[in-house]
Amino acid sequence: MQAAERSLDQDLQLMLALAKEAGDLALSYTLTGGAEAWNKTGGKGPVTEADLAVNRLCLKQLQTARPDYGWLSEETLDDPAARAKSRVWVVDPIDGTRAYISGDPHWCIALAIVEEGEAVASVLYAPALSRMYSARKGAGAFLNGNAIHVSLRDAEDGLRLITNEGLVTHPAWKEPWPRVEIARPKPNATLLRMAHVATGEWDAALVLAEKSDWDLAAGTVLVHEAGGHATTHLGEAFVFNQAVPAQRSVLASGKALHPLLLRRLEVVKIPDPQARAAQPMPDQTKPVQTEPKRMSESAKTGKQLLHIVFGGELKDVTGVEFEDLSQMDFIGAFPNYQEAYDAWKSAAQRTVDQAEMRYFILHAHKLLDPATGDHHHV
């Protein structure tokens, strides 16, 4: 056995023991009245004292055992210098915190090793489900010590899919989906969705929204070693531990099904997170262009009609009452319906995985000027 493989096997045993200890720690809070919870700043979701306690335990043990490895965790402030190593621990102390808080058993502890951007070993433990998943590159994937394999489905019709409710009926799709069975309810934890694909219990898992590396690394090696593919919805291989530790989306499935879904999903536009990476300073020796941009010709010809494109999370997908008006997403104002429709479609396609998130076009035909009380028809 090569030294690198021997090292990964040792790391895998370390992760298995640590995941069990971390799971017991997380469960201990549920036996004593529950963990204190609060919302993270910036709308990044909830966190509990159990998340932080598990994070501290993992950080201490993993860095003690492998001080030469880098570190990336959801509950540790990202430090690019700390993960500038050939091998990096990627940890999600509790994936599925909302489920954990509510008493739903579909949450897990995820530990992974990323080597030169590739996930090469992982352990994923769901203590409330008594499920311990593990995988190492080239050595297969396992659930509670038994080998697992992805589904062999090779057709979309009858597909068993884990994704957000309402995705397949979203109005933005050019081509209607065939008969699809949607997981109801779906696991809150993205990693558990990937694990269900790895075992073949479900054919595919799809998230059409940006996910962080810690949401994907452990599940990626698990799916790959179970004989499947885990990529972005465009078929891009995940490269972990980049400048921005995130991926634009995730599609996990068996190999025969994967290209069929990629063909369907290619119309969905989701930005590459790496576009947010720090850009080089402009060349100060070059003159700066200060001439304002011209308005488009369509905005100057004919009578301007105001169309506003906006969206938000609905309280009920059958109505138009928004969950939180302070979190509305305003796409922009447009001079005609065609431009507004194009903007609406682009926004709608980005959120097909979020059934409660809907976008609308408001045709404003009357404006009120509060300063004068005048009404202006447009």
Side-chain angles (χ1 to χ4, degrees), residues 156-210:
E156 291 178 285
D157 187 49
L159 168 69
R160 299 169 301 160
L161 179 64
I162 308 178
T163 193
N164 276 25
E165 185 80 29
L167 177 139
V168 298
T169 58
H170 196 284
W173 292 109
K174 288 182 179 179
E175 177 185 348
W177 283 71
R179 181 175 55 91
V180 173
E181 178 186 350
I182 300 293
R184 298 185 176 94
K186 70 178 186 303
N188 177 229
T190 301
L191 286 166
L192 278 182
R193 301 180 210 174
M194 299 177 77
H196 289 324
V197 172
T199 61
E201 294 167 274
W202 288 84
D203 299 316
L206 173 64
V207 180
L208 290 177
E210 182 179 312

Side-chain angles (χ1 to χ4, degrees), residues 62-71 82 84-89:
L62 295 178
Q63 287 201 326
T64 298
R66 297 286 187 266
D68 55 329
Y69 286 19
W71 176 262
K85 306 289 179 65
S86 61
R87 280 187 178 174
V88 179
W89 296 114

Side-chain angles (χ1 to χ4, degrees), residues 310-326 328 355-358 360:
F310 68 98
E313 183 180 352
L314 297 177
K315 290 186 176 181
D316 181 345
V317 294
T318 64
V320 289
E321 185 177 358
F322 294 97
E323 190 70 41
D324 185 352
L325 293 176
S326 68
M328 298 290 286
E356 298 83 5
M357 187 70 180
R358 293 293 177 87
F360 300 90

Side-chain angles (χ1 to χ4, degrees), residues 311-354:
E313 183 180 352
L314 297 177
K315 290 186 176 181
D316 181 345
V317 294
T318 64
V320 289
E321 185 177 358
F322 294 97
E323 190 70 41
D324 185 352
L325 293 176
S326 68
Q327 298 297 317
M328 298 290 286
D329 182 16
F330 289 93
I331 301 301
F334 303 88
N336 56 60
Y337 178 78
Q338 184 59 55
E339 290 188 29
Y341 177 82
D342 291 343
W344 168 86
K345 189 171 184 179
S346 176
Q349 287 179 337
R350 292 198 308 269
T351 57
V352 293
D353 192 47
Q354 299 165 273

